[in-house]
Amino acid sequence: MNARAPGRPRILSRARIVASARHIADNEGLEALTVRRVAQELGTGQASLYRHIADRNELLTLLADDVAVHLPPPKDGPDPRERVIGQWLNAYDYLSQHLWAARIIAEGEHAADSAAAFTRSAVDALAALARVGSGEGGPDQAGIARTYRVLWHLLLGHLLNAHPVGHAHPVHDIAVEREGAGPAKAAETFRDDFAWALPRVLEGLLGTHAS
Amino acid sequence: MNARAPGRPRILSRARIVASARHIADNEGLEALTVRRVAQELGTGQASLYRHIADRNELLTLLADDVAVHLPPPKDGPDPRERVIGQWLNAYDYLSQHLWAARIIAEGEHAADSAAAFTRSAVDALAALARVGSGEGGPDQAGIARTYRVLWHLLLGHLLNAHPVGHAHPVHDIAVEREGAGPAKAAETFRDDFAWALPRVLEGLLGTHAS
């Protein structure tokens, strides 16, 4: 929007810049996201943007933080197993809508301290599940942290392979191919795989059993 | 090497081009790999290279195939559990030496039919383990294929997060940070995590138990 357009001119803010950048990344992938492109979207000049952000890197950091802050809490309810499984499935679905963010996190370019609330709540929910499932003989704090990391990597691996970002070619997965399914089915298959694996992996890692 | 240099001039071949490109990718990351750079390494002109390869994309495909062909077979030995676990740990260590290849595969830009031998041997080894561990009640062929995919994604997730490729900044992992370990420890921690998780995840997915 241009300030000279009819109506009240909107004030440029970091929040508006981040919202516009997220829209571009969600719809066109990270490659399309440049400061010039965001300026176009907002109907302003690049110089105006540089009064709010230092460079593209700062923009990416702000974006990744914005996604990380909104990672989901454990699912509501009394059952600790359902709380854990629901949180991770929701995280999968949420990140599959913002894959460029998953890729930023995996590439380790930008800190995501903003994910701390997710980490804390996920670790607490895992600890509650471990107490119910295996009592005193369950994993200690280090084992819970390790379980958290393994689940996070399981999620990342499924997401990053299932949904290549910013590339025109469909994913080619050797095992999906082997089953005879076309590449277009990959994302759907991997979501199913993750949902199938999650309770089984939890049982293996925590030494608990399904109730 | 220049053809006018002393000694017998070496003949430019696809194999020499791929070997040179792999050397560059292993040492400097995928970003450094250009046709111009490979030509420099081989002491020849870009035009000479273009008589053997169509473009950078074909070079990447050849490279990924080359890595995929050399993915390890199941570990030698009579114990089916050790055969499976050894194969996946070896695959992890092998790919951590060629991370750019893991990234090519995950980004789905290039087919890796050459990994078919790895897939086949891994699926067969998993089926043998499932038979021993759970007899007739074990997973069917679809369950084995699914287990293979989950292990592959578990491996990819650990690798891609642990070893950002082509970026100067160290990985920032929220859970490693939480434990107080510095980012430099991340790759080592994730290798340990993978080795710790593998038997437990297998048990959960296949419904078998450690002997």
Side-chain angles (χ1 to χ4, degrees):
Chain A
M1 180 181 294
N2 194 299
R4 285 164 302 184
R8 193 169 55 168
R10 297 182 63 186
I11 293 161
L12 202 60
S13 67
R14 273 195 162 204
R16 270 191 75 210
I17 293 170
V18 169
S20 170
R22 189 179 50 224
H23 183 78
I24 294 167
D26 282 345
N27 288 287
E28 299 165 44
L30 214 50
E31 281 75 7
L33 182 65
T34 60
V35 173
R36 175 195 297 264
R37 183 66 215 285
V38 175
Q40 278 175 350
E41 281 276 303
L42 294 169
T44 185
Q46 291 185 63
S48 304
L49 257 66
Y50 284 124
R51 283 197 283 273
H52 298 271
I53 53 153
D55 53 21
R56 183 176 185 267
N57 261 0
E58 194 189 357
L59 193 57
L60 292 181
T61 305
L62 291 170
L63 276 177
D65 283 351
D66 183 59
V67 167
V69 161
H70 295 99
L71 278 164
K75 200 180 156 192
D76 282 338
D79 183 70
R81 200 161 158 278
E82 283 175 19
R83 282 172 56 80
V84 167
I85 290 174
Q87 179 174 30
W88 286 93
L89 285 178
N90 286 341
Y92 187 98
D93 291 335
Y94 170 70
L95 282 176
S96 71
Q97 302 300 313
H98 306 288
L99 279 166
W100 47 270
R103 207 171 58 160
I104 291 176
I105 295 167
E107 288 186 346
E109 277 184 283
H110 302 275
D113 289 330
S114 315
F118 173 76
T119 307
R120 200 159 34 237
S121 72
V123 166
D124 290 348
L126 284 167
L129 173 58
R131 275 196 302 276
V132 169
S134 47
E136 295 300 312
D140 59 6
Q141 207 185 326
I144 297 289
R146 193 162 234 183
T147 299
Y148 168 84
R149 290 196 303 269
V150 170
L151 292 178
W152 179 253
H153 289 141
L154 186 70
L155 182 154
L156 269 191
H158 279 78
L159 276 178
L160 294 177
N161 201 33
H163 308 264
V165 184
H167 300 289
H169 305 283
V171 71
H172 174 100
D173 185 87
I174 44 184
V176 169
E177 205 71 7
R178 187 184 160 89
E179 284 197 309
K185 295 283 285 180
E188 195 183 320
T189 301
F190 296 164
R191 169 64 166 74
D192 287 350
D193 284 351
F194 186 72
W196 172 83
L198 198 48
R200 290 166 175 82
V201 167
L202 272 173
E203 190 179 322
L205 296 178
L206 295 177
T208 57
H209 292 272
S211 52
Chain B
M1 181 181 292
N2 194 298
R4 286 165 300 186
R8 193 167 57 166
R10 296 182 63 184
I11 293 161
L12 202 60
S13 67
R14 275 195 162 203
R16 270 191 74 210
I17 294 170
V18 169
S20 170
R22 189 178 50 221
H23 183 78
I24 294 166
D26 282 346
N27 287 289
E28 298 165 43
L30 213 50
E31 282 75 7
L33 183 66
T34 60
V35 173
R36 175 195 296 264
R37 183 65 215 284
V38 175
Q40 276 174 352
E41 280 276 306
L42 293 169
T44 184
Q46 291 185 64
S48 304
L49 257 67
Y50 284 125
R51 282 198 283 273
H52 297 270
I53 54 154
D55 53 19
R56 182 176 185 269
N57 261 0
E58 195 190 355
L59 193 57
L60 292 181
T61 305
L62 291 171
L63 275 177
D65 283 351
D66 184 59
V67 167
V69 161
H70 294 99
L71 279 163
K75 200 179 156 193
D76 282 337
D79 184 71
R81 200 161 158 277
E82 284 175 18
R83 283 173 55 81
V84 167
I85 291 174
Q87 179 174 30
W88 286 93
L89 285 178
N90 286 341
Y92 188 98
D93 291 335
Y94 171 70
L95 282 176
S96 70
Q97 302 300 314
H98 306 287
L99 278 166
W100 47 271
R103 206 171 58 161
I104 290 176
I105 295 167
E107 288 186 345
E109 277 184 281
H110 302 276
D113 289 330
S114 316
F118 172 76
T119 307
R120 203 160 32 239
S121 71
V123 166
D124 290 347
L126 284 168
L129 173 58
R131 275 196 302 275
V132 169
S134 47
E136 295 301 312
D140 60 5
Q141 206 185 328
I144 297 289
R146 193 162 233 183
T147 299
Y148 168 85
R149 291 197 302 269
V150 170
L151 292 178
W152 178 253
H153 289 140
L154 186 70
L155 182 154
L156 269 190
H158 279 78
L159 276 178
L160 295 177
N161 201 35
H163 308 264
V165 185
H167 300 290
H169 306 283
V171 71
H172 174 100
D173 185 87
I174 45 185
V176 170
E177 205 70 7
R178 188 185 159 87
E179 284 197 309
K185 294 283 286 180
E188 194 183 320
T189 300
F190 296 165
R191 170 62 166 77
D192 286 350
D193 285 350
F194 186 72
W196 173 82
L198 198 48
R200 289 166 176 81
V201 167
L202 272 173
E203 190 179 323
L205 295 179
L206 295 177
T208 56
H209 291 272
S211 51

